[in-house]
Amino acid sequence: MIQKPQFEVQCQPTSHPFSTGGMFCLSILCLLGAILQSGCVSSERLKAEKVRALNFQRLLAQEEKRSNTLDAQLAQKDKKITELNTQLKETKAKIGTLESQNRTLTAELNALRKENHPPQERKSAPDSPDLLQDPDTTTDSPPSEPSLSDPFMSDEELLKILE
């Protein structure tokens, strides 16, 4: 008879589920699961973030529009200020011109008054010491109001005095 070859089966030790290789695979699987879970966002949260972003965009657009309106108003105010400053300079120039004209006319008026009303010479009084020291008789001041006998007064001025 033919003999069949007999194979010897050697028993190898079975791998233990908590061996170093198995532990390594298990730890990698846990890490991958944690990474995948942390990277995922729920659809509800995603929608909420989209709505929030849209609200921010809307608010930003409103604020940009408001900013543009305020910039336009500021430009108008600056233009008006420039115009008013120009008017102020013109008015100051006119005031300066009028003041110089006023000074000139005042000087002419004073000169005419001096021509028309020459100062009266002091009348020589008797040599009494009381009259020489009296301040009322020694001052040459014009009267505070024009007299009715003033020939240079107009009829209107006379009527005003009489009223």
Side-chain angles (χ1 to χ4, degrees):
M1 278 210 228
I2 305 182
Q3 280 190 352
K4 291 184 178 177
Q6 288 184 354
F7 293 102
E8 291 183 27
V9 179
Q10 296 180 347
C11 286
Q12 293 181 352
T14 60
S15 63
H16 194 297
F18 295 111
S19 66
T20 55
M23 282 296 278
F24 181 72
C25 287
L26 185 62
S27 62
I28 289 182
L29 286 175
C30 287
L31 274 172
L32 285 175
I35 290 173
L36 289 176
Q37 260 188 341
S38 66
C40 293
V41 178
S42 68
S43 63
E44 293 170 1
R45 187 170 177 187
L46 181 63
K47 287 178 185 178
E49 289 298 322
K50 282 183 181 180
V51 168
R52 186 173 175 217
L54 288 174
N55 282 337
F56 280 132
Q57 286 177 347
R58 183 181 52 83
L59 289 174
L60 179 63
Q62 286 176 349
E63 289 301 318
E64 285 176 350
K65 184 178 178 181
R66 182 174 173 259
S67 175
N68 291 337
T69 304
L70 291 175
D71 287 343
Q73 288 176 353
L74 182 62
Q76 288 176 349
K77 300 282 182 188
D78 286 343
K79 185 178 178 181
K80 194 168 189 175
I81 286 173
T82 304
E83 291 173 2
L84 290 174
N85 281 335
T86 304
Q87 288 178 357
L88 178 65
K89 288 179 183 177
E90 291 172 0
T91 304
K92 283 183 178 181
K94 286 179 184 178
I95 288 173
T97 304
L98 292 174
E99 285 177 346
S100 66
Q101 288 176 355
N102 189 22
R103 282 191 295 271
T104 304
L105 292 173
T106 304
E108 289 177 13
L109 178 65
N110 289 336
L112 288 173
R113 282 184 181 165
K114 285 181 182 178
E115 286 177 17
N116 292 332
H117 298 289
Q120 297 176 354
E121 293 182 18
R122 292 182 188 169
K123 296 179 182 177
S124 58
D127 290 338
S128 79
D130 292 337
L131 291 175
L132 292 176
Q133 293 178 0
D134 187 14
D136 292 333
T137 59
T138 59
T139 58
D140 292 331
S141 63
S144 60
E145 289 187 340
S147 66
L148 294 175
S149 63
D150 190 359
F152 298 104
M153 292 184 66
S154 68
D155 292 336
E156 295 174 13
E157 291 175 349
L158 287 173
L159 290 174
K160 286 181 183 177
I161 291 173
L162 292 174
E163 291 177 357

